[in-house]
Amino acid sequence: MMGQRIESLQKLETVDLRIRELEEGLKRYPDEINSLKKDLLEKKESISLKETTLSELKAQRDSLESSLRSNQESIKKSEERLFAIKTHKEYEALQKEITDTRKENLEMEDRTISVMAEIEETETTLVGEKENYATLEEQYAKQIAEKEKKIKELEISRKPAEREKNEILSTVDPKILPIYERIFRKNSRALALAENEKCTSCNMNIPPQLFNEILKQAVLVQCPSCKKILYTNP
């Protein structure tokens, strides 16, 4: 009887929905784990990049400070030489050299101040990012562990569900099964309750003659609109 066939399909749909949910979880949780790991990796790379920038800035600062010291020493020596110069031309040339070096020092001092400000800003940002990374790393580790636990639970649950499905399949009419499978693949469900001459899935009216066929349970009836297999409650 069609009633028994529909009952078998209802049981099949119940287990199929459970398997679908398990499979969605088995896909979703690994994706979520990968997303968390990717986020951590991106933050770690950002920290690494800033650490490299900080090292370069400090090297730049050290180079500027070294050049400043060298220039200061050069100015000191040049000033000492001024007293030994005998010609006006040599005096003017050395004086110009001292003036140019002092001007260069002023420019380097400005650059040094700017670089030190960048160093301070980068160090402050790094401290914040490292603290945030440490917090997230701990939080994500817990979330990943929970998701990995759920994956194991889902994998354990899938095997008995598949065994149950195989048992139910042996009771399903092989002529009806392809129809059911096609509808189930395309929709959230394959079966829909017909009530008050309406399909409760798409809410479309069912012609009276067709609704009577559903009540008789003599043939398989599909909704004219959503194409789901229709059934009625006893």
Side-chain angles (χ1 to χ4, degrees):
M1 287 182 64
M2 186 53 64
Q4 293 175 333
R5 293 172 184 174
I6 291 294
E7 187 178 342
S8 293
L9 290 178
Q10 287 175 315
K11 290 179 181 178
L12 179 60
E13 185 177 62
T14 298
V15 73
D16 268 340
L17 288 170
R18 189 158 72 248
I19 290 172
R20 176 188 281 171
E21 185 180 351
L22 293 171
E23 289 175 344
E24 286 174 352
L26 287 169
K27 181 181 181 301
R28 183 176 70 255
Y29 290 128
D31 287 347
E32 290 175 355
I33 289 172
N34 288 334
S35 178
L36 292 173
K37 288 181 177 179
K38 183 182 177 183
D39 188 43
L40 271 182
L41 181 61
E42 287 174 353
K43 285 177 171 54
K44 191 173 184 179
E45 288 174 347
S46 174
I47 289 170
S48 178
L49 183 62
K50 282 184 176 61
E51 286 176 334
T52 300
T53 300
L54 183 61
S55 296
E56 291 171 350
L57 286 168
K58 286 181 176 179
Q60 189 177 347
R61 177 202 60 193
D62 294 344
S63 176
L64 286 165
E65 289 177 344
S66 176
S67 296
L68 277 167
R69 286 193 298 270
S70 177
N71 279 1
Q72 291 287 10
E73 188 64 29
S74 175
I75 290 170
K76 183 179 178 182
K77 289 179 180 178
S78 294
E79 286 175 336
E80 290 172 354
R81 284 169 53 205
L82 283 173
F83 298 104
I85 290 176
K86 300 191 181 195
T87 69
H88 182 69
K89 186 176 181 180
E90 287 178 331
Y91 184 88
E92 284 187 339
L94 188 56
Q95 189 68 52
K96 183 178 184 304
E97 182 182 316
I98 292 170
T99 301
D100 289 344
T101 304
R102 282 176 175 161
K103 183 180 178 182
E104 184 183 354
N105 273 8
L106 287 173
E107 292 173 355
M108 284 196 291
E109 284 171 358
D110 287 341
R111 289 206 301 275
T112 302
I113 291 169
S114 177
V115 168
M116 290 179 72
E118 283 187 68
I119 289 172
E120 185 178 353
E121 183 182 349
T122 304
E123 285 178 333
T124 301
T125 303
L126 257 176
V127 169
E129 285 195 13
K130 286 181 177 180
E131 288 176 352
N132 183 50
Y133 180 84
T135 301
L136 283 179
E137 189 176 33
E138 186 178 349
Q139 291 175 352
Y140 285 4
K142 291 179 182 178
Q143 291 179 35
I144 288 170
E146 289 172 359
K147 293 178 191 300
E148 287 174 341
K149 181 182 177 183
K150 288 178 179 178
I151 288 171
K152 290 179 181 178
E153 291 172 351
L154 291 174
E155 286 173 342
I156 291 170
S157 300
R158 183 168 59 176
K159 290 180 181 179
E162 288 174 345
R163 283 197 300 270
E164 184 181 353
K165 177 177 177 176
N166 288 332
E167 290 172 3
I168 295 170
L169 280 172
S170 64
T171 68
V172 176
D173 187 335
K175 294 179 182 178
I176 296 176
L177 184 60
I179 300 171
Y180 162 86
E181 289 178 336
R182 185 173 63 254
I183 300 168
F184 188 82
R185 280 195 301 269
K186 292 182 178 180
N187 300 276
S188 58
R189 305 181 75 99
L191 281 72
L193 175 66
E195 196 171 50
N196 300 325
E197 295 189 359
K198 279 189 176 184
C199 170
T200 57
S201 177
C202 64
N203 206 35
M204 292 296 291
N205 290 326
I206 301 169
Q209 186 177 352
L210 193 61
F211 188 73
N212 286 333
E213 292 293 335
I214 300 169
L215 294 174
K216 290 177 184 177
Q217 296 186 345
V219 293
L220 183 76
V221 178
Q222 291 179 250
C223 174
S225 177
C226 67
K227 305 303 179 185
K228 290 181 182 177
I229 298 169
L230 297 171
Y231 69 92
T232 58
N233 286 326

